[in-house]
């Protein structure tokens, strides 16, 4: 490898290069200033252009015209995050959510009938899961799909206003079919949430009988996406509309499933759609890289105030305060990039495995939830910091950052609310990914997790062998220089995670027969911390693994320092915990702050190199504040 971009591009470098080459010669149409309908029309046109490239075929099965490259399609989707995020979201709805539901929840009949038209955008669709009264609590959706054996049809119905499908992308304007998630009822018995293919418009764009479609209207961002509301008034669809990979209904109404437990079946179905969370994390990373590139380039040229004793003004990126705004965020962006790369590789491997191990599947789902939460929160905070770092100019729409702020804000709550996702991460740790816990009550869950052994539930990442080699070679110093010792940093992250989890289990031991929910709820802050520190540790390990793979000495040395900054800035932000729990003296805590300052100064001359390595296509950096 001869450049930092090569290191970042990784396994799917060819796809990244192809996307950059494709967009290099085309103009980036402005999204700001457009009316809602103009923006939607522009995005739909771009979606058709994207379909014409064949790139949406990447992740679909070869037998239906796809390429079978699941990791490649996620990387291609991630690259859309450099541009208009409305296009990224609309593409994600069409090919990731709608197409993914048909592929992963349907069977051959659905694949043969629909996949080619979905890939080619001949059948625009949407993913109708969220309801007005149930967002994160998908298991308790209220839309019903009641089977009528006499007609061999399902009756899709919205029983009340709280069951209205809400915020459904592609629904308000362009979608013709929806993957509708509803409670399957047959023979008077509910069998839990399943997905059904329901036509919502005819070829002329008119709503189908019984289907009411409303427009969600103007949003804070992503106004190129036509979010809508769907209500169903006893809409009939054939028995074959059920996406029946995990549960089927015979003509006489008999229900059959390869998974006996309703809870286990539900979470298995949701787990197949993990690509969405992985994709959102990647696209959030792309938007973050775009913002940092603009802010660092601007900070590298903008001057402010004279240097004493000279007539020269100081470049703002030379100020430590400015470095503090951007460089730790830049280091975290690198760390999350490598964690994302590891996550995509794991997803690609797992979904090419005929019968993946239950533990591997659960770990992937947990990592996807955790990285999505941390990456999208990081995007929100970093884009804000980038906007501030560009002063008033950063507030002008022409300089891109305001639109990035508005468009990424919702990332923290779609494809899973981040707070809920971190609880899922912690729950996975606490239960050691034991599948049967999905059917336990809060009381039973609390009692079950209290019996777990901490050492058996903290799973290890693919970089573990590298980590163990580093730890074995470490002299385990405790002097000031040890802050830059990778083994010391890893040990600090590991110790924090193990202590937080161990103390959480002890809190949950207080649960009894009558107070299970109360005990669990009172420990929610602790649950969230357990999820967060776990993600921080796997992100650090991913960074360490990427450095180990780098063969260019100069780039490797640079990445080592960026990793130092990620690790120490993370520890600095959590100094209170390390002090409260006796891990640090006050002197050591101050030394961490000084080390972060030192690293900012050391990396400042290479800041431009670090953001340029993201290789954001220049058409997406057409901000007047950084124009030459």
């Amino acid at each position: 490898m001869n450049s930092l971009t090569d290191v970042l591009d990784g396994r799917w470098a060819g796809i990244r290069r192809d996307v950059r080459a494709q967009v290099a010669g085309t103009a980036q149409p402005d999204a700001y200033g457009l009316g809602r309908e103009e923006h939607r029309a522009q995005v739909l046109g771009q979606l058709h252009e994207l379909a014409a490239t064949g790139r949406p075929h990447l992740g679909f099965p070869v037998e239906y015209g796809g390429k079978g490259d699941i990791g490649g399609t996620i990387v291609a989707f991630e690259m859309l995050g450099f541009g208009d995020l409305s296009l990224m979201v609309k593409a994600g709805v069409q090919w990731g959510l709608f197409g993914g539901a048909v592929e992963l929840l349907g069977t051959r009949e659905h694949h043969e009938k629909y996949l080619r038209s979905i890939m080619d955008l001949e059948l625009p669709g949407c993913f109708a899961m969220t309801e007005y009264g149930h967002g994160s609590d998908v298991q308790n959706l209220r839309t019903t799909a009641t089977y009528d054996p006499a007609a061999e049809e399902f009756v899709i119905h919205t029983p009340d206003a709280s069951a209205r499908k809400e915020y459904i992308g592609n629904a308000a304007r362009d979608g013709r079919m929806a993957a509708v998630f509803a409670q399957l009822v047959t023979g008077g018995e509910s069998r839990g949430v399943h997905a059904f293919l329901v036509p919502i418009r005819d070829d002329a764009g008119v709503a189908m009988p019984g289907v009411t479609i409303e427009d969600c209207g103007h949003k804070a961002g992503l106004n190129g996406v036509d979010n809508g509301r769907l209500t169903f008034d006893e809409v009939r669809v054939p028995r074959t509309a059920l996406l029946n990979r995990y549960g089927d209904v015979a003509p006489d109404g008999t229900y059959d499933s390869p998974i006996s437990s309703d809870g286990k079946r539900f979470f298995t179905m949701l787990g197949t759609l993990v690509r969405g969370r992985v994709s959102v994390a990647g696209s959030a990373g792309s938007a973050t890289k775009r913002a940092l590139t603009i802010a660092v380039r601007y900070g590298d040229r903008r001057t402010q105030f004279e240097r004493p004793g000279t007539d020269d003004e100081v470049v703002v990126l030379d100020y430590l305060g400015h470095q503090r705004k951007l460089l730790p965020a830049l280091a975290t962006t690198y760390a999350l990039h490598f964690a994302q790369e590891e996550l995509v590789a794991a997803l690609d491997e797992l979904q090419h495995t005929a019968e993946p191990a239950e533990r591997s599947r659960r770990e992937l789902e947990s990592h996807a939830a955790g990285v999505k939460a941390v990456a999208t929160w990081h995007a929100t905070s970093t884009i804000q910091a980038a906007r501030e770092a560009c002063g008033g100019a950063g507030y002008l729409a022409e300089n891109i950052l305001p639109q990035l702020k508005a468009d990424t804000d919702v990332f923290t709550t779609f494809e899973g609310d981040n707070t809920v996702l971190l609880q899922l991460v912690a729950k996975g740790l606490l239960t050691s990914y034991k599948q049967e816990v999905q059917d336990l009550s809060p009381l039973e869950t609390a009692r079950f997790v209290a019996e777990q052994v901490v050492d058996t539930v903290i799973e290890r990442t693919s970089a573990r062998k590298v980590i163990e080699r580093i730890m074995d070679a470490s002299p385990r110093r405790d002097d000031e220089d040890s802050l830059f010792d990778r083994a010391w940093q890893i040990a600090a992250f590991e110790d924090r995670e193990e202590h937080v989890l161990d103390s959480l289990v002890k809190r949950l031991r207080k649960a009894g027969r009558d107070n299970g929910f109360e005990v669990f709820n009172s420990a929610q802050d602790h649950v969230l911390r357990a999820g967060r520190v776990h993600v921080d540790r796997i992100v650090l390990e991913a960074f360490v693994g990427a450095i180990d793979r780098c063969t260019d000495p100069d780039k490797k040395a640079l990445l080592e320092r960026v990793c130092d900054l990620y690790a120490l800035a993370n520890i600095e932000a959590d100094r209170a915990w390390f002090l409260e729990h006796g891990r640090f003296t006050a002197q050591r805590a101050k030394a961490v702050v000084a080390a972060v300052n030192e690293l900012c100064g050391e990396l400042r001359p290479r800041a431009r190199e670090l953001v340029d390595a993201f290789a954001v296509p220049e058409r997406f950096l057409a901000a007047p504040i950084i124009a030459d």
Side-chain angles (χ1 to χ4, degrees):
M1 295 182 179
N2 57 11
S3 78
L4 201 50
T5 300
D6 292 330
V7 180
L8 290 167
D9 280 355
R11 174 175 166 183
W12 284 277
I15 289 174
R16 295 182 190 276
R17 286 193 296 266
D18 287 348
V19 173
R20 292 187 189 109
Q22 182 184 335
V23 303
T26 57
Q28 163 72 351
D30 290 328
Y32 70 86
L34 292 178
R36 188 177 69 203
E37 290 309 311
E38 290 179 289
H39 194 186
R40 289 176 175 180
Q42 177 173 287
V43 168
L44 180 62
Q46 292 175 308
L47 198 69
H48 279 286
E49 292 174 9
L50 182 58
T53 68
R55 193 161 291 116
H57 291 228
L58 269 174
F60 287 98
V62 174
E63 57 265 43
Y64 305 109
K67 305 292 185 182
D69 186 354
I70 295 165
T73 196
I74 293 175
V75 168
F77 180 85
E78 176 185 319
M79 298 289 283
L80 291 177
F82 286 139
D84 184 352
L85 290 167
S86 286
L87 174 62
M88 181 276 296
V89 171
K90 198 169 178 72
V93 170
Q94 173 67 21
W95 294 300
L97 294 177
F98 177 57
V102 174
E103 178 194 350
L104 298 172
L105 300 180
T107 49
R108 178 168 292 276
E109 179 180 2
H110 304 106
H111 299 163
E112 292 177 346
K113 187 173 182 180
Y114 296 114
L115 283 185
R116 289 183 186 274
S117 57
I118 290 172
M119 285 186 279
D120 294 335
L121 198 54
E122 294 171 0
L123 177 61
C126 45
F127 186 84
M129 178 179 281
T130 300
E131 293 180 358
Y132 183 75
H134 288 86
S136 298
D137 186 11
V138 178
Q139 199 165 11
N140 289 308
L141 295 176
R142 291 180 50 77
T143 300
T144 56
T146 305
Y147 185 64
D148 177 2
E152 296 189 17
E153 294 176 330
F154 284 99
V155 182
I156 312 298
H157 186 63
T158 305
D160 52 55
S162 71
R164 179 185 67 203
K165 296 297 181 182
E166 183 78 21
Y167 212 78
I168 309 303
N170 277 3
R173 181 179 183 269
D174 299 323
R176 294 211 319 269
M177 178 175 282
V180 177
F181 287 76
Q183 300 286 349
L184 189 159
V185 180
T186 182
E189 183 179 1
S190 176
R191 303 313 301 248
V193 174
H194 291 65
F196 302 81
L197 293 179
V198 182
I200 60 171
R201 284 186 179 85
D202 61 22
D203 291 342
V206 178
M208 298 293 285
V211 179
T212 300
I213 304 173
E214 300 176 81
D215 197 316
C216 287
H218 194 81
K219 308 183 294 288
L222 299 175
N223 281 296
V225 183
D226 52 320
N227 293 94
R229 304 181 179 99
L230 298 174
T231 305
F232 304 98
D233 184 9
E234 298 189 349
V235 175
R236 288 181 171 265
V237 294
R239 183 176 64 88
T240 54
L242 169 64
L243 294 175
N244 59 338
R245 179 177 178 182
Y246 295 105
D248 202 2
V249 174
D252 67 356
T254 302
Y255 181 82
D256 180 63
S257 172
I259 304 174
S260 58
S261 163
D262 288 352
K264 181 178 178 182
R265 183 187 318 113
F266 169 75
F267 283 100
T268 299
M269 286 192 290
L270 287 192
T272 62
L273 303 175
V274 71
R275 294 184 200 178
R277 286 174 183 162
V278 177
S279 298
V280 169
S283 58
S286 292
T288 306
K289 293 167 189 173
R290 189 183 183 194
L292 282 169
T293 301
I294 292 170
V296 168
R297 287 189 181 184
Y298 179 72
D300 202 34
R301 65 190 299 172
R302 177 78 160 93
T303 58
Q304 192 77 278
F305 303 113
E306 290 184 356
R307 188 181 300 273
T310 74
D311 293 329
D312 299 326
E313 289 188 308
V314 179
V315 175
V316 295
L317 196 52
D318 286 345
Y319 290 108
L320 176 61
H322 207 80
Q323 294 166 15
R324 278 279 192 160
K325 280 182 182 176
L326 299 177
L327 298 189
L330 178 56
T332 301
T333 303
Y334 264 74
L336 286 167
H337 174 94
F338 293 123
Q340 173 75 7
E341 180 182 43
E342 188 173 283
L343 186 59
V344 171
L347 174 62
D348 185 81
E349 179 181 352
L350 192 73
Q351 297 198 345
H352 278 111
T353 302
E355 295 184 9
E358 178 72 9
R359 182 179 178 89
S360 297
R361 187 169 64 81
R362 291 294 182 192
E363 287 182 0
L364 174 65
E365 292 168 9
S366 175
H367 287 189
V371 172
K372 183 269 176 183
V374 173
T376 54
W377 270 327
H378 175 65
T380 295
S381 62
T382 300
I383 292 169
Q384 173 64 24
R387 205 293 299 158
E388 292 181 20
C390 293
Y395 200 61
L396 296 176
E398 65 180 6
N399 289 320
I400 300 171
L401 296 171
Q403 194 66 53
L404 281 180
K405 276 188 61 178
D407 287 347
T408 56
D409 188 61
V410 76
F411 283 18
T412 61
T413 51
F414 77 25
E415 288 294 332
D417 177 273
N418 285 355
T419 299
V420 175
L421 292 183
L422 278 190
Q423 291 182 79
L424 291 178
V425 173
K427 185 177 181 180
L429 291 171
L430 289 167
T431 61
S432 191
Y433 302 99
K434 289 204 173 185
Q435 195 170 345
E436 58 265 32
V437 80
Q438 306 296 358
D439 292 327
L440 299 181
S441 68
L443 171 59
E444 291 169 323
T445 299
R447 296 177 70 177
F448 175 82
V449 300
E451 300 169 2
Q452 300 307 297
V453 179
V454 171
D455 289 342
T456 68
V457 302
I458 299 181
E459 89 289 352
R460 301 309 180 186
T461 68
S462 61
R464 196 61 204 171
K465 288 184 179 179
V466 178
I467 300 298
E468 290 173 354
R469 188 172 72 240
I470 291 171
M471 300 298 279
D472 290 343
S474 170
R476 303 300 173 95
R477 298 173 303 169
D478 197 34
D479 54 24
E480 187 170 317
D481 289 340
S482 69
L483 296 179
F484 297 100
D485 178 63
R486 188 73 67 230
W488 181 89
Q489 297 166 2
I490 293 168
F493 277 58
E494 286 186 346
D495 176 56
R496 177 177 59 178
E497 180 181 2
E498 291 175 2
H499 181 91
V500 169
L501 186 57
D502 182 52
S503 57
L504 174 59
V505 169
K506 290 176 181 175
R507 287 184 70 178
L508 294 176
R509 287 193 181 124
K510 299 175 183 177
R513 181 177 298 276
D514 300 322
N515 68 340
F517 172 78
E518 287 74 15
V519 170
F520 211 86
N521 191 46
S522 68
Q524 194 171 38
D525 61 325
H526 205 148
V527 170
L528 293 171
R529 169 167 278 276
R532 179 59 192 252
V533 298
H534 171 71
V535 177
D536 288 345
R537 195 262 302 168
I538 66 172
V539 169
L540 175 60
E541 292 197 3
F543 203 158
V544 172
I547 293 170
D548 187 69
R549 294 190 299 272
C550 181
T551 57
D552 182 291
D554 177 65
K555 305 311 179 200
K556 188 168 188 171
L558 176 58
L559 288 173
E560 291 278 13
R561 301 313 273 168
V562 176
C563 188
D564 284 338
L565 181 55
Y566 164 70
L568 293 176
N570 184 288
I571 291 170
E572 180 191 41
D574 207 15
R575 277 178 298 159
W577 185 91
F578 287 98
L579 284 164
E580 286 172 357
H581 293 83
R583 267 59 177 183
F584 282 2
T585 62
Q587 183 177 1
R588 173 55 59 94
K590 292 177 181 178
V592 170
V593 177
V596 171
N597 288 342
E598 178 184 334
L599 286 165
C600 285
E602 183 178 337
L603 289 172
R604 184 270 173 266
R606 305 192 76 170
R608 175 67 186 264
E609 177 186 356
L610 287 167
V611 294
D612 286 350
F614 294 143
V616 180
E618 290 297 323
R619 64 173 278 201
F620 298 135
L621 298 172
I625 52 171
I626 58 172
D628 291 328

